[in-house]
Amino acid sequence: MDLDDIAAHLTGDPEQADALIDLSNVVRDTAIGGPHARSLDRLGLVLDALARRTGDRNATAYALADRSLRHNVHEYPDRAQPARLVEWIEAGLVEELPDADERLLDLAEGFGLPVISRDGFADFRLTHPWIQGNTTQFLTPVPTPVRAVKLAERDMGTRSPAQISRKLEESDLKAHGLLAGRNRRPITEVVRRHWRCPERGCTLYDSRRGGAIRLPRMKRGVPVCELHRTPLVDDGPRTGVAQLKLLVDGDCLHRFTLDVGSTVVLGRDPGPGGISLYGHVAPERLRRISRAHLSVQVSAQSLALRNLGVNGTRLRRNGARQPTLLTDEEYVTLHVGDTAELAEGIHLTRSARRFPMEIAAAWQSRPQRQPTSGPTAAITMLGETAASDGPG
């Protein structure tokens, strides 16, 4: 994947992303993508792996980078790479901060997006306790024998208070005090609420103007508007959400955001309150899809489908060779990487995002682990061990 191809898979809006990328960590990861100390080629390998994992060749990622990543240009394979990185930052395709970790984790918690990084984030486990024991939301790039990369789920393990304390001290020294203010109000208190900007005409966070879940910026423990930098007004509790993607011939044409606790009918003309595919699929192809083709049910634990269509719906599990037919009798869970075929070339799949209630349910179903005495490790898809504290 060349630099232009990479840019096409980056988005400046986390609402449209399939994953978050700890760019400084990935670019410096010498376990993949050649010997150079820094390389954007590694980002290309990771984006390829994300496309394979999600089943969407146009999968996109929201990338965050430390400000130091643009420096030491001699460590890149050529001068074009750091120059292109600066272009992406200025174009809004990469978010640059003095230290990106805290913002990365805030977005991961708020949007339920997977995080691609080898970092163990030990110094953030007090302010982000959801990292402890997490086995589902962190992915590590693992090299394959064919010079490609796979994304493997990581077991983040648990860290003792002493280990967390030591890491906090290290980070404070590393950042020269730039990471002060860790005792702010927990971000969970923010993401569980809707917010509204008091400035007249500002709709960035208005829950009545669409289904976007925009995470406020935090300033001294207070959520503020990104545009006006003024404190936001509490606008009531926020329900969890899940996201479906419509793929036509492999291209993602639209995303549908659904609330937890909802059941929605999807089809050619499903009626009031349903998800209509009219306008997203060419008319001659739309005729193959029933007026009411699928029932989509979102609960606190899963997103599930039930067939309603005359011509049926085929469900292909991630990695399976043959699809199976959905029945009209019971709901079947749609996991990340699975695809539901409505008609030839027309598929539904899940965004890699997992809504907070679903993530909590997944963690609660895991057996409890004892605190680790050293760096946390995870067994990868290839049966290798991937250290949790990586470059970056």
Side-chain angles (χ1 to χ4, degrees), residues 366-384:
R366 302 280 182 167
Q368 295 295 317
R369 287 167 300 280
Q370 297 299 317
T372 58
S373 58
T376 307
I379 302 301
T380 71
M381 292 179 185
L382 302 180
E384 301 169 10

Side-chain angles (χ1 to χ4, degrees), residues 118-145:
R118 287 184 186 274
D119 198 328
F121 300 106
D123 46 334
F124 287 90
R125 297 193 181 207
L126 293 180
T127 55
H128 292 81
W130 57 273
I131 301 174
Q132 293 277 72
N134 190 313
T135 61
T136 60
Q137 202 172 349
F138 291 84
L139 304 173
T140 189
V142 180
T144 72

Side-chain angles (χ1 to χ4, degrees), residues 45-60:
L45 292 173
V46 165
L47 290 170
D48 275 335
L50 179 64
R52 290 193 298 274
R53 179 180 176 84
T54 60
D56 177 8
R57 66 189 180 195
N58 294 316
T60 57

Side-chain angles (χ1 to χ4, degrees), residues 3-14 17 19-21 23 43 47 60-65 84-96:
L3 296 180
D4 289 332
D5 291 333
I6 290 174
H9 289 271
L10 298 176
T11 176
D13 182 3
L20 300 169
I21 293 183
L23 190 59
L43 175 58
L47 290 170
T60 57
Y62 188 83
L64 300 95
R84 183 60 67 90
L85 172 63
V86 172
E87 290 178 11
W88 293 342
I89 293 169
E90 293 176 348
L93 294 179
V94 172
E95 183 175 356
E96 184 185 56

Side-chain angles (χ1 to χ4, degrees), residues 254-267:
H254 199 71
R255 296 172 185 246
F256 306 100
T257 300
L258 308 174
D259 289 333
V260 167
S262 64
T263 300
V264 181
V265 175
L266 178 147

